[in-house]
Amino acid sequence: MHERMRRYNAPIIMMAKLESTSAVAAGNAEWLARSRAAVWHPCTQMKQHETWPLVPIARGRGAWLYDFDGRRYLDSVSSWWVNLFGHAHPKINAAIASQLEEVEHVMLAGFTHRPVVELSERLASIAPGGLGHCFYGSDGASAVEIALKMSFHYWRNRGESGKNGFIALEHGYHGETLGALSVTDVALFRDAYAPLLRQHTALPSPDARQARNGQSARDHALGATAALEAHLALHHRSIAALIVEPLVQGAAGMAIYDPAYLERARTLCTRYGVHLIADEIMTGFGRTGTMFACEQAGIAPDFLCLSKGLTGGYLPLSAVLTTDEVYAAFYDDDVARGFLHSHSYTGNALACRAALAVLDLFRDEDVIAANRTRAETLTALAQPIAAHPKVSDFRHLGMIWAFEVDSGRKDFASWCFSAALQREMLLRPIGRTVYWMPPYCLSDGEMALLAERTLDIVACA
Ligand SMILES: *Cc1c(COP(=O)(O)O)cnc(C)c1O
């Protein structure tokens, strides 16, 4: 007990000492100790930071992050998949600063404001299909919660409250609040909380890596739809929705799959009266080479969940877009038939204004086309990695690259993370899958650096 107290309190005492000397600029070591004492970091066994130090970041510019001791890191994972145009982008900075002069936030129940109206109109105009009604949340998981609740409540309002189950894909990831975790199939995140979660059905994934016996990615995807069809045929009366990550299952290790799956899933969901929820929280905003991944399958979902890149990686914001048909089922004299869900920061004006600046950049700088050229360059530079004997399943879609590394190292992911830091890169492998998901601003020189230094890591693995 006393031993423990001493251990945990040591950094707090150190912090008091630091405050008294705060005139001296703090370096990495000080921020690291204070952070470990006071901040409980996400997705982390904190004890591991005894071995793997945190990286204190002082500032960011473009694709680079800088620490307090003057070292730099190329942000090759877009700060956990959120950043689109680099750090401290002058146009997004200016948009947020100008919004600060208007209004920073106002509650969205009973009130409205210019950025939220404009953003809703513009998202509807670029989203696939007729998704003209936009509901806001604060982060990805809250968007998933909203879509699940809305789908269930739609069926309930239609007199079909037995439709209260959800189906999802094996190894799918939809966030970590209890509802979102209920449709997530990643054991590491789920298992400890299993008693708190609703039962869900995980159907076979169309992941192209699982194609066997000379099957094409398309054959494998179509094979997976057979299981979906069989399940829907038996259980559709108790199912509200199917939720999928279109084209790429990110947390599964960048599992890329053929659009044929989505095409067929759309047809089956319509036939069996089950909603299709497209979780484009990671794939949206150009990540897969089109504005939204659903476009590559030529489909429109009943619910489209957006977050991450929505504000260019600046501010937490998420949105769920849905159809006239869903909206109409809630529109009634009876209050309880309405969607009585809210978050305090719903439709935050600063975040909406950042999102509008992001959409302006897509329009004014023809980002999707520019990324096509960028992707060709980086794919060419990555060929020595793809051909390396320790590398398998090299794959690429839009602005995502991934491959498996055959390494005898026990904790390959942590080793690779530090090996990358030593080479001025931020890489954060998922198990043995190394991936790049860079911001849309890499120069040719930065792409060459990324490819060369990653190859060097693979060679040392
Ligand atoms: C990141 C992610 C989420 C969760 O978003 P948070 O903002 O982390 O809650 C949900 N679905 C997908 C596909 C994601 O990549």
Short mmCIF file of all heavy atoms in Angstrom, two decimals, residues 66-122:
data_model
loop_
_atom_site.label_atom_id
_atom_site.label_comp_id
_atom_site.label_asym_id
_atom_site.label_seq_id
_atom_site.Cartn_x
_atom_site.Cartn_y
_atom_site.Cartn_z
N TYR A 66 6.49 18.17 -33.86
CA TYR A 66 7.77 18.51 -33.23
C TYR A 66 7.67 18.35 -31.73
O TYR A 66 6.68 18.79 -31.13
CB TYR A 66 8.16 19.95 -33.56
CG TYR A 66 8.32 20.20 -35.05
CD1 TYR A 66 7.21 20.51 -35.83
CD2 TYR A 66 9.57 20.08 -35.66
CE1 TYR A 66 7.34 20.71 -37.20
CE2 TYR A 66 9.71 20.29 -37.03
CZ TYR A 66 8.58 20.60 -37.79
OH TYR A 66 8.72 20.78 -39.15
N ASP A 67 8.70 17.74 -31.11
CA ASP A 67 8.66 17.61 -29.66
C ASP A 67 9.35 18.80 -28.99
O ASP A 67 9.75 19.75 -29.67
CB ASP A 67 9.22 16.25 -29.20
CG ASP A 67 10.73 16.11 -29.41
OD1 ASP A 67 11.41 17.13 -29.64
OD2 ASP A 67 11.22 14.96 -29.32
N PHE A 68 9.49 18.75 -27.66
CA PHE A 68 10.02 19.90 -26.92
C PHE A 68 11.54 19.98 -26.98
O PHE A 68 12.13 20.96 -26.54
CB PHE A 68 9.55 19.84 -25.46
CG PHE A 68 8.09 20.13 -25.30
CD1 PHE A 68 7.15 19.12 -25.46
CD2 PHE A 68 7.63 21.41 -25.03
CE1 PHE A 68 5.79 19.38 -25.32
CE2 PHE A 68 6.29 21.69 -24.90
CZ PHE A 68 5.36 20.67 -25.04
N ASP A 69 12.15 18.89 -27.48
CA ASP A 69 13.61 18.89 -27.56
C ASP A 69 14.10 19.11 -28.98
O ASP A 69 15.27 18.88 -29.29
CB ASP A 69 14.18 17.57 -27.01
CG ASP A 69 13.92 17.41 -25.51
OD1 ASP A 69 13.59 18.43 -24.86
OD2 ASP A 69 14.03 16.28 -25.00
N GLY A 70 13.17 19.48 -29.86
CA GLY A 70 13.57 19.82 -31.23
C GLY A 70 13.57 18.65 -32.21
O GLY A 70 13.99 18.81 -33.36
N ARG A 71 13.11 17.46 -31.78
CA ARG A 71 13.03 16.36 -32.74
C ARG A 71 11.72 16.45 -33.50
O ARG A 71 10.75 17.02 -33.03
CB ARG A 71 13.12 15.01 -32.01
CG ARG A 71 14.51 14.69 -31.49
CD ARG A 71 14.55 13.28 -30.90
NE ARG A 71 14.18 12.26 -31.88
CZ ARG A 71 15.03 11.67 -32.73
NH1 ARG A 71 16.30 12.02 -32.71
NH2 ARG A 71 14.62 10.76 -33.57
N ARG A 72 11.70 15.84 -34.70
CA ARG A 72 10.47 15.90 -35.50
C ARG A 72 10.03 14.50 -35.91
O ARG A 72 10.84 13.57 -35.96
CB ARG A 72 10.70 16.78 -36.73
CG ARG A 72 11.79 16.23 -37.64
CD ARG A 72 11.91 17.01 -38.93
NE ARG A 72 12.69 16.19 -39.87
CZ ARG A 72 12.77 16.41 -41.17
NH1 ARG A 72 12.13 17.42 -41.72
NH2 ARG A 72 13.48 15.61 -41.94
N TYR A 73 8.75 14.38 -36.21
CA TYR A 73 8.16 13.08 -36.60
C TYR A 73 7.18 13.31 -37.74
O TYR A 73 6.29 14.16 -37.63
CB TYR A 73 7.42 12.46 -35.41
CG TYR A 73 8.26 12.42 -34.14
CD1 TYR A 73 8.14 13.43 -33.18
CD2 TYR A 73 9.21 11.42 -33.94
CE1 TYR A 73 8.94 13.43 -32.04
CE2 TYR A 73 10.01 11.41 -32.81
CZ TYR A 73 9.87 12.42 -31.86
OH TYR A 73 10.66 12.43 -30.74
N LEU A 74 7.31 12.51 -38.80
CA LEU A 74 6.36 12.59 -39.91
C LEU A 74 5.09 11.85 -39.49
O LEU A 74 5.13 10.66 -39.16
CB LEU A 74 6.98 11.93 -41.15
CG LEU A 74 6.20 12.10 -42.45
CD1 LEU A 74 6.23 13.55 -42.93
CD2 LEU A 74 6.75 11.18 -43.54
N ASP A 75 3.98 12.56 -39.50
CA ASP A 75 2.72 12.01 -38.99
C ASP A 75 2.09 11.10 -40.05
O ASP A 75 1.11 11.46 -40.71
CB ASP A 75 1.77 13.16 -38.61
CG ASP A 75 0.52 12.67 -37.90
OD1 ASP A 75 0.35 11.44 -37.76
OD2 ASP A 75 -0.28 13.53 -37.48
N SER A 76 2.63 9.89 -40.19
CA SER A 76 2.21 9.00 -41.29
C SER A 76 0.89 8.29 -41.03
O SER A 76 0.44 7.53 -41.88
CB SER A 76 3.27 7.92 -41.56
OG SER A 76 4.50 8.26 -41.02
N VAL A 77 0.31 8.50 -39.83
CA VAL A 77 -0.99 7.89 -39.56
C VAL A 77 -2.05 8.97 -39.30
O VAL A 77 -3.11 8.70 -38.76
CB VAL A 77 -0.94 6.88 -38.39
CG1 VAL A 77 0.05 5.76 -38.69
CG2 VAL A 77 -0.56 7.56 -37.07
N SER A 78 -1.73 10.20 -39.75
CA SER A 78 -2.69 11.31 -39.64
C SER A 78 -3.29 11.43 -38.24
O SER A 78 -4.49 11.64 -38.09
CB SER A 78 -3.81 11.15 -40.68
OG SER A 78 -3.30 11.27 -41.98
N SER A 79 -2.38 11.31 -37.21
CA SER A 79 -2.85 11.43 -35.84
C SER A 79 -4.10 10.60 -35.57
O SER A 79 -5.16 11.13 -35.21
CB SER A 79 -3.10 12.90 -35.48
OG SER A 79 -1.86 13.54 -35.32
N TRP A 80 -3.94 9.28 -35.76
CA TRP A 80 -5.04 8.32 -35.56
C TRP A 80 -6.18 8.56 -36.54
O TRP A 80 -7.34 8.58 -36.17
CB TRP A 80 -5.54 8.35 -34.12
CG TRP A 80 -5.27 7.07 -33.39
CD1 TRP A 80 -4.60 5.98 -33.86
CD2 TRP A 80 -5.65 6.75 -32.04
NE1 TRP A 80 -4.55 5.01 -32.89
CE2 TRP A 80 -5.18 5.44 -31.78
CE3 TRP A 80 -6.35 7.45 -31.04
CZ2 TRP A 80 -5.38 4.81 -30.56
CZ3 TRP A 80 -6.55 6.81 -29.83
CH2 TRP A 80 -6.07 5.51 -29.58
N TRP A 81 -5.80 8.80 -37.81
CA TRP A 81 -6.74 8.77 -38.94
C TRP A 81 -7.65 9.98 -39.03
O TRP A 81 -8.64 9.97 -39.76
CB TRP A 81 -7.61 7.49 -38.93
CG TRP A 81 -6.90 6.22 -38.56
CD1 TRP A 81 -5.55 6.04 -38.41
CD2 TRP A 81 -7.49 4.94 -38.29
NE1 TRP A 81 -5.27 4.73 -38.06
CE2 TRP A 81 -6.44 4.04 -37.97
CE3 TRP A 81 -8.80 4.46 -38.29
CZ2 TRP A 81 -6.66 2.69 -37.67
CZ3 TRP A 81 -9.01 3.13 -37.98
CH2 TRP A 81 -7.96 2.25 -37.66
N VAL A 82 -7.33 11.05 -38.30
CA VAL A 82 -8.24 12.19 -38.32
C VAL A 82 -7.76 13.35 -39.20
O VAL A 82 -8.56 14.07 -39.78
CB VAL A 82 -8.51 12.76 -36.89
CG1 VAL A 82 -9.16 11.71 -36.02
CG2 VAL A 82 -7.25 13.30 -36.24
N ASN A 83 -6.43 13.52 -39.30
CA ASN A 83 -5.93 14.70 -39.98
C ASN A 83 -6.01 14.54 -41.50
O ASN A 83 -5.70 13.49 -42.02
CB ASN A 83 -4.48 14.95 -39.55
CG ASN A 83 -4.00 16.29 -40.00
OD1 ASN A 83 -3.72 16.49 -41.17
ND2 ASN A 83 -3.92 17.24 -39.09
N LEU A 84 -6.42 15.57 -42.21
CA LEU A 84 -6.51 15.46 -43.67
C LEU A 84 -5.47 16.32 -44.38
O LEU A 84 -4.89 15.88 -45.38
CB LEU A 84 -7.89 15.89 -44.17
CG LEU A 84 -9.09 15.01 -43.85
CD1 LEU A 84 -10.30 15.50 -44.61
CD2 LEU A 84 -8.82 13.55 -44.16
N PHE A 85 -5.26 17.54 -43.93
CA PHE A 85 -4.44 18.47 -44.73
C PHE A 85 -3.20 18.94 -43.99
O PHE A 85 -2.62 19.96 -44.33
CB PHE A 85 -5.30 19.67 -45.14
CG PHE A 85 -6.45 19.28 -46.01
CD1 PHE A 85 -7.76 19.31 -45.53
CD2 PHE A 85 -6.24 18.83 -47.31
CE1 PHE A 85 -8.83 18.92 -46.33
CE2 PHE A 85 -7.30 18.43 -48.11
CZ PHE A 85 -8.60 18.48 -47.63
N GLY A 86 -2.80 18.17 -42.98
CA GLY A 86 -1.63 18.55 -42.21
C GLY A 86 -2.02 19.39 -41.00
O GLY A 86 -3.17 19.79 -40.84
N HIS A 87 -1.02 19.61 -40.14
CA HIS A 87 -1.26 20.36 -38.90
C HIS A 87 -1.13 21.86 -39.16
O HIS A 87 -0.35 22.28 -40.01
CB HIS A 87 -0.26 19.91 -37.83
CG HIS A 87 -0.42 18.45 -37.48
ND1 HIS A 87 -1.35 18.01 -36.57
CD2 HIS A 87 0.18 17.34 -37.97
CE1 HIS A 87 -1.29 16.68 -36.48
NE2 HIS A 87 -0.36 16.25 -37.33
N ALA A 88 -1.90 22.64 -38.40
CA ALA A 88 -1.85 24.11 -38.47
C ALA A 88 -2.06 24.61 -39.90
O ALA A 88 -1.32 25.45 -40.41
CB ALA A 88 -0.53 24.63 -37.89
N HIS A 89 -3.08 24.09 -40.57
CA HIS A 89 -3.36 24.52 -41.94
C HIS A 89 -3.88 25.96 -41.91
O HIS A 89 -4.85 26.26 -41.21
CB HIS A 89 -4.40 23.60 -42.58
CG HIS A 89 -4.52 23.84 -44.05
ND1 HIS A 89 -5.21 24.92 -44.56
CD2 HIS A 89 -4.04 23.16 -45.11
CE1 HIS A 89 -5.14 24.88 -45.88
NE2 HIS A 89 -4.44 23.82 -46.24
N PRO A 90 -3.27 26.86 -42.68
CA PRO A 90 -3.65 28.28 -42.55
C PRO A 90 -5.14 28.54 -42.82
O PRO A 90 -5.74 29.37 -42.14
CB PRO A 90 -2.76 29.00 -43.59
CG PRO A 90 -2.05 27.92 -44.35
CD PRO A 90 -2.14 26.65 -43.58
N LYS A 91 -5.74 27.82 -43.77
CA LYS A 91 -7.15 28.12 -44.10
C LYS A 91 -8.10 27.61 -43.01
O LYS A 91 -9.10 28.26 -42.72
CB LYS A 91 -7.51 27.54 -45.46
CG LYS A 91 -6.85 28.32 -46.58
CD LYS A 91 -7.36 27.95 -47.95
CE LYS A 91 -6.68 28.85 -48.99
NZ LYS A 91 -6.70 28.26 -50.33
N ILE A 92 -7.80 26.44 -42.46
CA ILE A 92 -8.68 25.94 -41.38
C ILE A 92 -8.47 26.79 -40.13
O ILE A 92 -9.43 27.15 -39.45
CB ILE A 92 -8.42 24.44 -41.12
CG1 ILE A 92 -8.52 23.63 -42.42
CG2 ILE A 92 -9.42 23.90 -40.08
CD1 ILE A 92 -8.20 22.15 -42.29
N ASN A 93 -7.22 27.14 -39.85
CA ASN A 93 -6.95 28.03 -38.70
C ASN A 93 -7.75 29.32 -38.83
O ASN A 93 -8.38 29.78 -37.88
CB ASN A 93 -5.46 28.38 -38.63
CG ASN A 93 -4.60 27.24 -38.13
OD1 ASN A 93 -5.08 26.12 -37.98
ND2 ASN A 93 -3.32 27.51 -37.89
N ALA A 94 -7.72 29.90 -40.03
CA ALA A 94 -8.38 31.20 -40.23
C ALA A 94 -9.89 31.06 -40.08
O ALA A 94 -10.55 31.94 -39.51
CB ALA A 94 -8.02 31.75 -41.61
N ALA A 95 -10.45 29.95 -40.58
CA ALA A 95 -11.90 29.75 -40.49
C ALA A 95 -12.33 29.67 -39.02
O ALA A 95 -13.32 30.28 -38.62
CB ALA A 95 -12.30 28.48 -41.24
N ILE A 96 -11.57 28.92 -38.23
CA ILE A 96 -11.93 28.78 -36.80
C ILE A 96 -11.78 30.12 -36.09
O ILE A 96 -12.64 30.54 -35.32
CB ILE A 96 -11.07 27.69 -36.13
CG1 ILE A 96 -11.37 26.32 -36.74
CG2 ILE A 96 -11.31 27.66 -34.63
CD1 ILE A 96 -10.44 25.21 -36.29
N ALA A 97 -10.69 30.83 -36.40
CA ALA A 97 -10.47 32.13 -35.76
C ALA A 97 -11.62 33.08 -36.10
O ALA A 97 -12.11 33.82 -35.24
CB ALA A 97 -9.13 32.71 -36.19
N SER A 98 -12.07 33.06 -37.35
CA SER A 98 -13.14 34.00 -37.71
C SER A 98 -14.46 33.60 -37.06
O SER A 98 -15.26 34.45 -36.68
CB SER A 98 -13.22 34.16 -39.23
OG SER A 98 -14.28 33.42 -39.75
N GLN A 99 -14.69 32.29 -36.90
CA GLN A 99 -15.91 31.85 -36.22
C GLN A 99 -15.90 32.29 -34.75
O GLN A 99 -16.95 32.59 -34.18
CB GLN A 99 -16.07 30.33 -36.34
CG GLN A 99 -17.37 29.79 -35.74
CD GLN A 99 -18.61 30.38 -36.39
OE1 GLN A 99 -18.64 30.56 -37.61
NE2 GLN A 99 -19.60 30.74 -35.60
N LEU A 100 -14.70 32.34 -34.16
CA LEU A 100 -14.59 32.77 -32.76
C LEU A 100 -15.15 34.18 -32.57
O LEU A 100 -15.65 34.53 -31.51
CB LEU A 100 -13.12 32.75 -32.32
CG LEU A 100 -12.57 31.41 -31.85
CD1 LEU A 100 -11.06 31.51 -31.64
CD2 LEU A 100 -13.25 30.96 -30.57
N GLU A 101 -15.08 34.98 -33.62
CA GLU A 101 -15.61 36.35 -33.55
C GLU A 101 -17.14 36.37 -33.64
O GLU A 101 -17.76 37.36 -33.28
CB GLU A 101 -15.02 37.21 -34.68
CG GLU A 101 -13.50 37.33 -34.66
CD GLU A 101 -13.01 37.97 -33.36
OE1 GLU A 101 -13.63 38.93 -32.91
OE2 GLU A 101 -12.02 37.46 -32.79
N GLU A 102 -17.73 35.29 -34.19
CA GLU A 102 -19.20 35.25 -34.35
C GLU A 102 -19.84 34.62 -33.11
O GLU A 102 -20.41 35.29 -32.29
CB GLU A 102 -19.57 34.43 -35.59
CG GLU A 102 -18.79 34.79 -36.85
CD GLU A 102 -19.33 36.03 -37.54
OE1 GLU A 102 -20.55 36.24 -37.44
OE2 GLU A 102 -18.54 36.77 -38.15
N VAL A 103 -19.73 33.29 -33.02
CA VAL A 103 -20.21 32.59 -31.82
C VAL A 103 -19.48 31.26 -31.75
O VAL A 103 -19.31 30.59 -32.77
CB VAL A 103 -21.75 32.38 -31.84
CG1 VAL A 103 -22.22 31.51 -33.00
CG2 VAL A 103 -22.24 31.78 -30.51
N GLU A 104 -18.99 30.93 -30.56
CA GLU A 104 -18.20 29.69 -30.43
C GLU A 104 -19.10 28.47 -30.30
O GLU A 104 -18.81 27.42 -30.84
CB GLU A 104 -17.23 29.80 -29.25
CG GLU A 104 -17.84 29.70 -27.84
CD GLU A 104 -18.85 30.78 -27.52
OE1 GLU A 104 -18.65 31.92 -27.97
OE2 GLU A 104 -19.84 30.50 -26.82
N HIS A 105 -20.22 28.62 -29.60
CA HIS A 105 -21.12 27.48 -29.39
C HIS A 105 -22.46 27.99 -28.91
O HIS A 105 -22.52 28.97 -28.16
CB HIS A 105 -20.54 26.51 -28.34
CG HIS A 105 -21.43 25.35 -28.07
ND1 HIS A 105 -21.55 24.29 -28.95
CD2 HIS A 105 -22.28 25.06 -27.04
CE1 HIS A 105 -22.43 23.41 -28.47
NE2 HIS A 105 -22.89 23.87 -27.32
N VAL A 106 -23.52 27.34 -29.36
CA VAL A 106 -24.83 27.59 -28.79
C VAL A 106 -25.57 26.27 -28.83
O VAL A 106 -25.35 25.44 -29.72
CB VAL A 106 -25.59 28.70 -29.57
CG1 VAL A 106 -25.79 28.32 -31.03
CG2 VAL A 106 -26.96 28.97 -28.93
N MET A 107 -26.41 26.03 -27.82
CA MET A 107 -27.12 24.74 -27.81
C MET A 107 -27.95 24.60 -29.09
O MET A 107 -28.47 25.57 -29.63
CB MET A 107 -28.03 24.65 -26.58
CG MET A 107 -29.10 25.72 -26.52
SD MET A 107 -29.92 25.75 -24.91
CE MET A 107 -30.93 24.28 -25.01
N LEU A 108 -28.03 23.35 -29.59
CA LEU A 108 -28.69 23.13 -30.88
C LEU A 108 -30.15 22.69 -30.71
O LEU A 108 -30.88 22.57 -31.69
CB LEU A 108 -27.90 22.12 -31.72
CG LEU A 108 -28.16 22.15 -33.23
CD1 LEU A 108 -27.74 23.47 -33.86
CD2 LEU A 108 -27.46 21.00 -33.93
N ALA A 109 -30.58 22.44 -29.47
CA ALA A 109 -32.00 22.18 -29.24
C ALA A 109 -32.67 23.54 -29.10
O ALA A 109 -32.31 24.33 -28.23
CB ALA A 109 -32.20 21.36 -27.98
N GLY A 110 -33.60 23.84 -29.99
CA GLY A 110 -34.30 25.13 -29.93
C GLY A 110 -33.55 26.28 -30.59
O GLY A 110 -34.09 27.37 -30.71
N PHE A 111 -32.27 26.07 -30.98
CA PHE A 111 -31.50 27.12 -31.63
C PHE A 111 -30.82 26.56 -32.88
O PHE A 111 -30.68 25.35 -33.02
CB PHE A 111 -30.41 27.67 -30.69
CG PHE A 111 -30.99 28.42 -29.52
CD1 PHE A 111 -31.44 27.73 -28.40
CD2 PHE A 111 -31.11 29.81 -29.56
CE1 PHE A 111 -31.99 28.42 -27.33
CE2 PHE A 111 -31.66 30.49 -28.49
CZ PHE A 111 -32.10 29.81 -27.38
N THR A 112 -30.43 27.45 -33.76
CA THR A 112 -29.64 26.99 -34.90
C THR A 112 -28.63 28.09 -35.24
O THR A 112 -28.67 29.17 -34.67
CB THR A 112 -30.55 26.62 -36.09
OG1 THR A 112 -29.78 25.87 -37.03
CG2 THR A 112 -31.15 27.85 -36.77
N HIS A 113 -27.70 27.79 -36.12
CA HIS A 113 -26.70 28.80 -36.49
C HIS A 113 -26.18 28.52 -37.89
O HIS A 113 -26.41 27.44 -38.45
CB HIS A 113 -25.57 28.88 -35.46
CG HIS A 113 -24.91 27.56 -35.16
ND1 HIS A 113 -23.97 27.00 -35.99
CD2 HIS A 113 -25.08 26.69 -34.13
CE1 HIS A 113 -23.56 25.84 -35.48
NE2 HIS A 113 -24.23 25.62 -34.36
N ARG A 114 -25.51 29.51 -38.42
CA ARG A 114 -25.09 29.45 -39.81
C ARG A 114 -24.18 28.25 -40.15
O ARG A 114 -24.46 27.53 -41.10
CB ARG A 114 -24.41 30.78 -40.15
CG ARG A 114 -24.05 30.94 -41.57
CD ARG A 114 -23.53 32.35 -41.80
NE ARG A 114 -22.69 32.32 -42.98
CZ ARG A 114 -22.16 33.38 -43.54
NH1 ARG A 114 -22.36 34.58 -43.03
NH2 ARG A 114 -21.42 33.26 -44.62
N PRO A 115 -23.09 28.02 -39.39
CA PRO A 115 -22.22 26.90 -39.78
C PRO A 115 -22.94 25.54 -39.79
O PRO A 115 -22.68 24.71 -40.66
CB PRO A 115 -21.12 26.91 -38.71
CG PRO A 115 -21.10 28.30 -38.18
CD PRO A 115 -22.51 28.79 -38.27
N VAL A 116 -23.86 25.31 -38.86
CA VAL A 116 -24.50 23.99 -38.82
C VAL A 116 -25.50 23.83 -39.98
O VAL A 116 -25.63 22.74 -40.54
CB VAL A 116 -25.17 23.71 -37.45
CG1 VAL A 116 -26.53 24.38 -37.29
CG2 VAL A 116 -25.30 22.21 -37.21
N VAL A 117 -26.15 24.92 -40.36
CA VAL A 117 -27.08 24.85 -41.50
C VAL A 117 -26.29 24.61 -42.79
O VAL A 117 -26.58 23.70 -43.57
CB VAL A 117 -27.91 26.16 -41.61
CG1 VAL A 117 -28.75 26.16 -42.89
CG2 VAL A 117 -28.79 26.32 -40.38
N GLU A 118 -25.24 25.42 -42.98
CA GLU A 118 -24.45 25.29 -44.21
C GLU A 118 -23.78 23.93 -44.31
O GLU A 118 -23.75 23.32 -45.38
CB GLU A 118 -23.39 26.40 -44.27
CG GLU A 118 -24.01 27.77 -44.52
CD GLU A 118 -22.97 28.89 -44.59
OE1 GLU A 118 -21.76 28.62 -44.36
OE2 GLU A 118 -23.38 30.02 -44.85
N LEU A 119 -23.27 23.44 -43.18
CA LEU A 119 -22.59 22.15 -43.22
C LEU A 119 -23.58 21.03 -43.56
O LEU A 119 -23.27 20.15 -44.37
CB LEU A 119 -21.89 21.86 -41.88
CG LEU A 119 -21.15 20.53 -41.82
CD1 LEU A 119 -20.03 20.46 -42.88
CD2 LEU A 119 -20.56 20.29 -40.43
N SER A 120 -24.77 21.08 -42.96
CA SER A 120 -25.77 20.03 -43.23
C SER A 120 -26.15 20.03 -44.71
O SER A 120 -26.25 18.97 -45.33
CB SER A 120 -27.01 20.25 -42.37
OG SER A 120 -26.63 20.39 -41.01
N GLU A 121 -26.35 21.22 -45.27
CA GLU A 121 -26.70 21.31 -46.70
C GLU A 121 -25.57 20.77 -47.57
O GLU A 121 -25.81 20.01 -48.52
CB GLU A 121 -26.95 22.77 -47.08
CG GLU A 121 -28.23 23.34 -46.48
CD GLU A 121 -28.36 24.86 -46.67
OE1 GLU A 121 -27.39 25.51 -47.15
OE2 GLU A 121 -29.42 25.39 -46.32
N ARG A 122 -24.35 21.14 -47.21
CA ARG A 122 -23.24 20.72 -48.08
C ARG A 122 -22.94 19.23 -47.95
O ARG A 122 -22.60 18.57 -48.94
CB ARG A 122 -22.00 21.57 -47.80
CG ARG A 122 -22.21 22.97 -48.40
CD ARG A 122 -21.03 23.86 -48.20
NE ARG A 122 -19.84 23.40 -48.92
CZ ARG A 122 -18.67 24.03 -48.85
NH1 ARG A 122 -18.56 25.11 -48.09
NH2 ARG A 122 -17.63 23.57 -49.52
#
